Amino acid sequence: QVQLVESGGGSVQAGGSLRLSCAVSGYTYNNYCMGWFRQAPGKKLEEREGVASIDSDGNVTYADAVKGRFTISKDNAKNTLYLQMNSLKPEDTAMYYCAADREAAWCAAKIRHNYGMDYWGKGILVTISS
């Protein structure tokens, strides 16, 4: 059974940093697409925004809103996905979810348009105060 468990969320002031982790268990596929999504306050679950993606070839993409501030990475030895978030802004406040898909194809599109992801974590709250 595949499980994704996020950690590292919390509350920080604008300009600060946080690093989210997503521990993956039960997932042994060599090909994958993984990413981070966020659900802003007042938005519906289906309105989650794709934040960043990484595939098994090491290709990474970012939403325009986070480019230059967020970095996605994966430690294959630890089977853990990370999202380093710097220069945080109040508008980054959201519930953050990690997700995984067994196919690496079209990874950037799947994250950008929020479709086709097989597995989801339960989410973790990030709050940025001004």
XYZ file of all heavy atoms in Angstrom, residues 3 6 11 27 39 42 46 58 62 66 69-70 82 87 90 93 112 115 118 127:
173
model
N 1.878 4.973 0.644
C 1.541 6.048 1.565
C 2.489 7.211 1.357
O 3.698 7.016 1.201
C 1.619 5.569 3.008
C 0.464 4.668 3.436
C 0.451 4.437 4.931
O 1.496 4.199 5.540
N -0.724 4.504 5.524
N 3.308 13.948 4.588
C 3.989 15.235 4.598
C 4.389 15.651 6.010
O 3.710 15.289 6.976
C 3.085 16.331 4.016
C 2.629 16.110 2.585
C 1.267 15.454 2.492
O 0.847 14.816 3.482
O 0.616 15.566 1.439
N 4.105 27.745 10.878
C 3.865 29.173 10.716
C 5.180 29.930 10.771
O 5.981 29.729 11.693
C 2.955 29.679 11.835
O 1.704 29.041 11.791
N 6.140 2.347 -2.457
C 6.198 2.796 -3.860
C 7.547 2.391 -4.407
O 8.577 2.904 -3.979
C 6.033 4.311 -3.906
C 5.841 4.890 -5.286
C 4.571 5.167 -5.767
C 6.921 5.174 -6.097
C 4.381 5.719 -7.019
C 6.753 5.711 -7.344
C 5.477 5.989 -7.805
O 5.296 6.525 -9.044
N -3.540 24.098 -1.657
C -4.931 24.526 -1.639
C -5.017 25.758 -0.756
O -4.839 25.682 0.462
C -5.816 23.408 -1.085
C -7.277 23.743 -1.003
C -8.062 22.645 -0.286
O -7.495 21.679 0.226
N -9.380 22.764 -0.262
N -10.122 28.914 1.504
C -11.340 29.246 0.786
C -11.482 28.565 -0.556
O -12.542 28.671 -1.193
N -10.625 20.509 -5.377
C -10.364 20.342 -6.806
C -9.682 21.558 -7.420
O -9.274 21.519 -8.580
C -11.666 20.024 -7.559
C -12.768 21.030 -7.348
C -13.714 20.619 -6.239
O -13.264 19.961 -5.266
O -14.913 20.957 -6.331
N 14.670 13.381 -13.593
C 15.236 14.548 -12.945
C 14.747 15.885 -13.467
O 15.249 16.930 -13.063
N 8.224 24.425 -12.207
C 7.655 25.226 -11.126
C 6.529 26.101 -11.662
O 6.576 26.562 -12.804
C 8.717 26.132 -10.508
C 9.861 25.369 -9.877
C 11.027 25.122 -10.585
C 9.765 24.894 -8.575
C 12.080 24.413 -10.016
C 10.801 24.181 -7.996
C 11.958 23.949 -8.727
O 12.987 23.244 -8.161
N 6.068 30.640 -7.873
C 7.084 30.196 -6.922
C 8.476 30.086 -7.532
O 9.435 29.776 -6.828
C 6.701 28.846 -6.277
C 5.310 28.916 -5.662
C 6.793 27.700 -7.277
N 11.995 30.879 -5.875
C 11.851 30.869 -4.414
C 11.766 29.449 -3.865
O 12.216 29.187 -2.754
C 10.603 31.652 -4.001
C 10.611 33.106 -4.423
C 9.451 33.873 -3.802
N 8.155 33.370 -4.236
C 7.217 32.915 -3.412
N 7.434 32.885 -2.102
N 6.052 32.495 -3.882
N 11.134 28.547 -4.612
C 10.931 27.171 -4.169
C 11.846 26.242 -4.962
O 12.117 26.471 -6.144
C 9.498 26.730 -4.385
C 8.482 27.384 -3.486
C 8.781 28.489 -2.710
C 7.179 26.876 -3.433
C 7.839 29.079 -1.885
C 6.221 27.457 -2.614
C 6.563 28.561 -1.853
N 11.110 16.549 -1.276
C 11.254 17.777 -0.505
C 10.749 18.977 -1.302
O 10.737 18.968 -2.530
C 12.725 18.021 -0.145
C 13.351 16.938 0.685
C 14.162 15.972 0.101
C 13.128 16.882 2.059
C 14.742 14.971 0.859
C 13.701 15.884 2.825
C 14.507 14.932 2.219
O 15.076 13.936 2.984
N 11.939 32.886 0.942
C 11.287 34.175 0.667
C 9.780 34.031 0.669
O 9.094 34.507 -0.249
C 11.775 34.742 -0.676
O 13.178 34.885 -0.688
N 2.813 35.998 2.292
C 1.500 35.636 2.852
C 0.634 34.847 1.869
O -0.134 33.965 2.284
C 0.890 36.993 3.185
C 2.073 37.855 3.485
C 3.134 37.412 2.508
N 0.387 31.014 1.893
C -0.395 30.318 2.911
C -1.362 29.348 2.251
O -2.144 29.727 1.371
C -1.179 31.325 3.765
O -0.254 32.118 4.508
C -2.128 30.609 4.719
N 0.719 20.871 -13.497
C 0.167 22.182 -13.840
C -1.358 22.151 -13.885
O -2.027 23.086 -13.448
C 0.723 22.659 -15.173
C 0.188 24.014 -15.630
C 0.811 24.410 -16.951
N 2.234 24.704 -16.824
C 2.718 25.903 -16.503
N 1.895 26.899 -16.265
N 4.018 26.080 -16.417
N -4.097 16.657 -12.808
C -4.813 15.467 -13.248
C -3.878 14.275 -13.227
O -2.656 14.426 -13.257
C -5.391 15.646 -14.666
C -4.368 15.595 -15.778
C -4.056 14.399 -16.423
C -3.723 16.754 -16.199
C -3.125 14.361 -17.444
C -2.787 16.711 -17.221
C -2.488 15.520 -17.838
O -1.563 15.479 -18.848
N -1.808 9.413 -9.052
C -2.378 8.208 -8.459
C -2.485 8.267 -6.931
O -3.407 7.706 -6.348
C -1.520 6.988 -8.818
C -1.570 6.654 -10.292
O -2.633 6.833 -10.905
O -0.538 6.200 -10.821
N 1.449 28.444 7.054
C 0.861 29.754 7.297
C 1.957 30.799 7.334
O 2.911 30.674 8.111
C 0.090 29.777 8.623
O -0.906 28.749 8.618
C -0.589 31.125 8.820
